[in-house]
Amino acid sequence: MKFRGKIIDIACLNHFTRVVTTISKLTKMCVLRLTPDNLFFVLSGKVANGGVSMWCELSQANFFEEYQMEGVSSEDNEICLEVTPENLSRALKTVQNAKAVKVKLTKKHCPCLTIAAELPTLSSVSRVVTHDVPVDVIPRRLWHEFKEPSMPDFDVSIYLPPLKTMKNIVDRMKNLSNFLVIEANLNGEMNLKIETDLVSVTTHFRDLGNPPWGDDASQDGGPSQSRDPESMVEARVDIRRLQQFLMGQQVNPSKAMCNIVHQSVLHLILLHEDMSLQYFIPAVA
């Protein structure tokens, strides 16, 4: 098993760091899956049992100038590592002005992702800073747990408003309740609601638009086939988990959307030209 990569473009380094930092806001531990063409950050919580799950996909060619990897075998040409994204984020944040950053899978006192950065200098002597981020190698027999999750059979799909706006609203609502109801329809309308014994607060969004695959679902006989466009579908979720996702504004997504399975699952998606992030939050009673 071998892996090494090199980033020399500062914009690519900064964007990669923002992605890793976003992941660190969503989970303390995750799996980094390396393939010849892509990197994946995976959290495979069982949504049906109340856990969250995450799938973040990056095209290596959009970040790395050099990228070489050899998996466990020619048939299974992948590497799966358990990492603490916060440790990786801290290491990357210290080398944002580097001329080049090399990432390599090494064996020190334990398996590590070694980050070696060549820093700018005024003299002819080069300065190299090295960080060793401990990882655990995931055995082949467990890989099946870290495959791409299937798209839920959603009732409504809708584009999200600007994430910063949404985050400001959710941050204020968190002072009132630990739970939030998000509801949407096929007419581009979405509401965020807090309901307690003492207060009821609702924020309305209109003209958000619905992704075209909502039409595909109806044509395939999906749950939206006979749904009234004005009819609301809702999911009540832990407001802290939604807050964590909204930290994703750091990656400046070109599109953000959510799919709702009525009273079951909230499936949130961030799309960027060189990455995608999916986050699944279970609904609570």
Side-chain angles (χ1 to χ4, degrees), residues 98-115:
K99 294 194 292 182
V101 174
K102 296 178 181 178
V103 184
K104 184 179 180 182
L105 181 60
T106 58
K107 179 71 172 177
K108 302 292 179 77
H109 55 285
C110 67
C112 291
L113 278 176
T114 296
I115 298 172

Side-chain angles (χ1 to χ4, degrees), residues 44-105:
S44 61
K46 306 299 184 199
V47 175
N49 296 331
V52 298
S53 65
M54 174 196 70
W55 177 268
C56 182
E57 180 175 344
L58 311 175
S59 172
Q60 60 87 359
N62 290 327
F63 294 89
F64 291 88
E65 184 72 18
E66 299 173 11
Y67 183 94
Q68 299 174 328
M69 61 86 59
E70 294 179 15
V72 296
S73 68
S74 56
E75 295 81 17
D76 298 311
N77 194 19
E78 297 184 14
I79 301 172
C80 286
L81 308 170
E82 187 174 53
V83 300
T84 302
E86 185 177 359
N87 291 344
L88 191 56
S89 172
R90 283 179 185 161
L92 290 169
K93 283 180 178 178
T94 64
V95 297
Q96 289 300 284
N97 296 320
K99 294 194 292 182
V101 174
K102 296 178 181 178
V103 184
K104 184 179 180 182
L105 181 60

Side-chain angles (χ1 to χ4, degrees), residues 11 15-16 18-19 56-59 62-63 248-257 269-277:
H15 184 37
F16 186 67
R18 286 195 297 270
V19 171
C56 182
E57 180 175 344
L58 311 175
S59 172
N62 290 327
F63 294 89
Q249 63 180 301
Q250 297 179 49
V251 301
N252 299 317
S254 56
K255 289 182 181 177
M257 62 190 78
I269 305 171
L270 298 182
L271 295 178
H272 192 278
E273 61 184 13
D274 50 25
M275 63 83 67
S276 65
L277 188 152

